[in-house]
Amino acid sequence: MKVSSNTLDQKTLYANVINDVYPDEYGRFGPFGGRYIPETLVPALNRLEAGVKRYLHDTEFQAEYMAELRDWIGRPTALTHARTLSKRWGCEVWFKREDLAHTGAHKINNSIGQVLLAKKLGAKRVIAETGAGQHGVASAAACARIGLPCTVYMGAVDMERQAPNVGRMKLLGATVTPVTSGDKTLRAAVDEALRDWVTDPNGTYYCLGSAIGPHPYPYLVREFQSIIGREAREQMLVKAGGLPDIAIACVGGGSNAIGLFHPFVKDTQVQLLGIEAGGSGTGLGQNAASLAYGKPGVLQGCYSMLLQDTNGQIQETHSVSAGLDYPGVGPEHALLQAAGRVSYAGIEDDDALNALEECCASEGILPAIESAHALAGARRWAKQNPGKKILIGLSGRGDKDMPTLQRTILLGKI
Ligand SMILES: *Cc1c(COP(=O)(O)O)cnc(C)c1O
């Protein structure tokens, strides 16, 4: 065994992060990550890890992947100068427009990559979990495109909150299985998908939707989502005349944020800020801000920051946005926080909804409620840092959120 990176101090972690040495061969991001799983899952994860090593950076696989990104998803997505918000906030504001990606959010970058990988590995069916429904829709669409049957596990609470997406998944040919156990949201759906996978790890491919779970998922998802940051970095240099002073993204499991941040980690002059769901307040159960208020622990195969009580029991979470409503977070974010390279803050429901309204009226863009957390975080930062160049990851569009927006903004409830 190598020396555990548990003992590394912040300065060493920072240097390691800048030099991009993570994950290590055990799937560890410094002290975080790894694989805490029942024995029955070991063969499936080993097989997946071997598949990732064999195919992910293979020229032919990358060519197929890049062709789907271009011709089916519509990448590169635009970088938009938010002219009115720039004036209002006193900063130069740029949006990386993942809302323009096929199916309406960044999730598709990962889904199409993993479903292509599933095909290479000879899987006969794909399963996925979903929270807001975006990953379910993206996986259903990717499976239809590549020609594999798809089953999506979704918490019963989320099925109600995100009804339009349930219909979309069905139209795209997926079977949607409601999950009524546990918290009936994303966490329960991941548990259910893992249970399914164990019963047939060879024939079934588990397409996980965020940078969470056991190794190699956090790494695999980061690699597929890094297209966001690579494009944005290039576009900032060309269109905005230089790198941003700060890049800001919302953090649920952390996939869109790590996708935006990763290509900027070495640019130490670029500040990075992740925005978590501050919910209705700072108390236990009132939010989903695992980095701001959590403690290290194990959830769903991964050691990371979690919302838990003093006995290590996972806390119920609250957020107006289904996509951010998860008590854990990807291990790479836990490391980036511990190393001091990225800072994280919470934005409360009302503030996010207010920023959503401002974005609609000012820019003619209806963002997802998840993305509106990043907007509100950016607005707050802008007020304290006038004249700076801000890059915001607009992770998705808000059409799916209409039922929630009807109940809140449109009824005058915020
Ligand atoms: C799922 C989702 C998120 C949160 O997931 P991450 O893995 O943290 O990116 C954020 N925004 C949108 C639009 C989503 O659909």
Side-chain angles (χ1 to χ4, degrees), residues 36-38 41 107 127-132 135 151-156 158 177-198 206-214 217 253 299-302 322-323 325-329:
Y36 297 81
I37 47 167
L41 266 179
K107 298 278 191 339
I127 58 171
E129 85 297 333
T130 198
H135 177 58
T151 296
V152 180
Y153 290 97
M154 186 170 193
D158 289 337
T177 306
V179 179
T180 52
S181 55
D183 62 359
K184 301 188 186 66
T185 66
L186 181 58
R187 176 163 60 102
V190 174
D191 281 337
E192 213 46 48
L194 286 169
R195 265 196 279 277
D196 178 325
W197 195 26
V198 172
Y206 177 21
C207 179
L208 212 165
S210 191
I212 58 170
Y217 283 112
L299 177 65
Q300 292 173 329
C302 178
D325 208 351
Y326 182 71
V329 67

Side-chain angles (χ1 to χ4, degrees), residues 276-290 292-293 307 316-320 346-351 373:
E276 297 187 291
S280 56
T282 58
L284 267 182
Q286 292 185 324
N287 58 72
S290 0
Y293 308 123
L307 291 166
E316 303 278 305
T317 51
H318 164 78
S319 170
V320 65
I347 282 290
E348 296 193 3
D349 291 348
D350 288 359
D351 202 11
H373 285 73

Side-chain angles (χ1 to χ4, degrees), residues 136-194:
V137 168
S139 299
C143 284
R145 170 79 176 167
I146 303 303
L148 282 170
C150 180
T151 296
V152 180
Y153 290 97
M154 186 170 193
V157 169
D158 289 337
M159 282 182 76
E160 199 190 308
R161 283 196 286 197
Q162 311 288 153
N165 272 342
V166 177
R168 289 168 79 199
M169 283 182 258
K170 289 182 180 165
L171 280 172
L172 290 164
T175 305
V176 184
T177 306
V179 179
T180 52
S181 55
D183 62 359
K184 301 188 186 66
T185 66
L186 181 58
R187 176 163 60 102
V190 174
D191 281 337
E192 213 46 48
L194 286 169

Side-chain angles (χ1 to χ4, degrees), residues 49 52 61 71 100 156 195 206 251 272 303 308 360-361 370-371 377 379 392 396:
E49 191 179 4
V52 170
F61 180 84
D71 301 333
L100 295 177
R195 265 196 279 277
Y206 177 21
V251 179
L272 302 171
Y303 182 70
Q308 53 190 317
C360 288
E370 292 84 357
S371 321
R379 182 169 64 183
I392 303 173

Side-chain angles (χ1 to χ4, degrees), residues 222-234:
R222 179 251 272 175
E223 289 296 288
F224 285 136
Q225 292 294 4
S226 291
I227 187 72
I228 303 172
R230 285 204 306 275
E231 285 176 7
R233 193 178 182 285
E234 189 65 37

Side-chain angles (χ1 to χ4, degrees), residues 361-384:
S362 306
E363 300 299 335
I365 296 169
L366 167 55
I369 301 179
E370 292 84 357
S371 321
H373 285 73
L375 290 167
R379 182 169 64 183
R380 194 160 76 187
W381 190 87
K383 300 262 155 81
Q384 291 151 5

